[in-house]
């Protein structure tokens, strides 16, 4: 499952892509994003979309936690789960900027990177988010209160299936998809893989 992606899209480019976007993210560094790190997301603000930083990993279902520590869930597949249904509405939608993403090759074999075949394509993960969530993410930090996000997954397309046959992130590449997602279209309508041929395999993050 995707637990490493790269984003190099500038804040200026994002404000050009999303109508009315307000930049509240401060300075953003380009590069790789790992679970539990802060990264940019575009979410619904009071009056317009806003660019902010949030922590990658939504709250885990209590049934899977063995201790008080909750490392978070990075990828969400089962939209029928009561745990996830509460965060599927418009008020919890977000777009996660991504330039390339990886899937594990297997133990000791590193990861395989994927990026759009068409170099002009802009990608966003279809994300969900929650704000002001208090939990124990790391024992050394104690309880913290964070804005959190994760993104949906779906069956893989042909390119991803060669490496990870179970799933791939839900990726949105067209302005009408971005707008529909933030506007609250039923999540199931966009929970589908990119067309075969839309991605190319590369050796390193782009």
């Amino acid at each position: 499952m995707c637990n490493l992606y790269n984003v190099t899209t500038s804040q200026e480019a994002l404000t050009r892509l999303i109508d009315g976007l307000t930049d509240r993210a401060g300075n953003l560094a380009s590069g790789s994003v790992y679970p539990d790190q802060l990264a940019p997301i575009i979410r619904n603000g009071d009056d317009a979309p806003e660019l902010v930083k949030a922590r990658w990993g939504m709250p885990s279902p209590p049934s899977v936690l063995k201790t008080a520590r909750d490392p978070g869930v990075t990828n969400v597949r089962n939209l029928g789960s009561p745990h996830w249904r509460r965060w599927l509405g418009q008020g919890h939608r977000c777009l996660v900027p991504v330039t390339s993403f990886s899937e594990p090759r297997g133990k000791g074999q590193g990861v395989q990177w994927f990026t759009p075949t068409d170099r002009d394509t802009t990608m966003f993960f279809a994300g969900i988010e929650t704000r002001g969530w208090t939990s124990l993410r790391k024992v050394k930090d104690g309880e913290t209160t964070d804005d959190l996000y994760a993104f949906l997954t779906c069956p893989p397309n042909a390119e991803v299936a060669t490496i990870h046959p179970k799933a791939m992130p839900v990726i949105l590449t067209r302005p009408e998809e971005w707008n529909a997602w933030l506007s609250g279209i039923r999540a199931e309508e966009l929970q589908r893989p990119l067309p075969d041929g839309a991605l190319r395999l590369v050796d390193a993050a782009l």
Side-chain angles (χ1 to χ4, degrees), residues 47-61:
D47 302 308
E50 57 184 15
L51 177 67
V52 300
K53 286 185 279 195
R55 199 168 182 173
W56 186 15
M58 287 286 283
S60 302

Side-chain angles (χ1 to χ4, degrees), residues 42-184:
I42 295 169
R43 67 188 187 187
N44 287 307
D46 291 336
D47 302 308
E50 57 184 15
L51 177 67
V52 300
K53 286 185 279 195
R55 199 168 182 173
W56 186 15
M58 287 286 283
S60 302
S63 61
V64 306
L65 296 177
K66 296 181 173 59
T67 67
R69 178 176 173 269
D70 181 2
V73 175
T74 56
N75 299 258
V76 176
R77 178 75 175 270
N78 181 12
L79 304 190
S81 163
H83 180 75
W84 299 119
R85 281 203 302 265
R86 74 183 102 171
W87 292 309
L88 293 180
Q90 180 186 7
H92 294 280
R93 296 289 180 86
C94 68
L95 299 169
V96 183
V98 54
T99 308
S100 57
F101 68 95
S102 71
E103 295 289 358
R105 286 182 168 276
K107 188 174 181 180
Q109 299 182 61
V111 299
Q112 173 64 60
W113 287 92
F114 301 87
T115 197
T117 301
D118 181 348
R119 297 174 189 270
D120 293 329
T121 296
T122 298
M123 299 193 302
F124 291 98
F125 294 138
I128 58 175
E129 55 96 10
T130 190
R131 307 173 198 184
W133 186 270
T134 299
S135 62
L136 181 65
R137 307 282 291 198
K138 295 180 179 178
V139 173
K140 66 182 180 65
D141 294 338
E143 281 194 345
T144 59
T145 300
D146 305 282
D147 292 351
L148 306 173
Y149 77 95
F151 45 79
L152 305 192
T153 64
C154 61
N157 72 352
E159 293 82 63
V160 176
T162 62
I163 304 298
H164 195 277
K166 292 185 178 180
M168 70 175 287
V170 175
I171 296 172
L172 310 178
T173 61
R174 302 194 305 271
E176 57 266 33
E177 294 176 331
W178 310 336
N179 292 332
W181 184 253
L182 289 180
S183 297

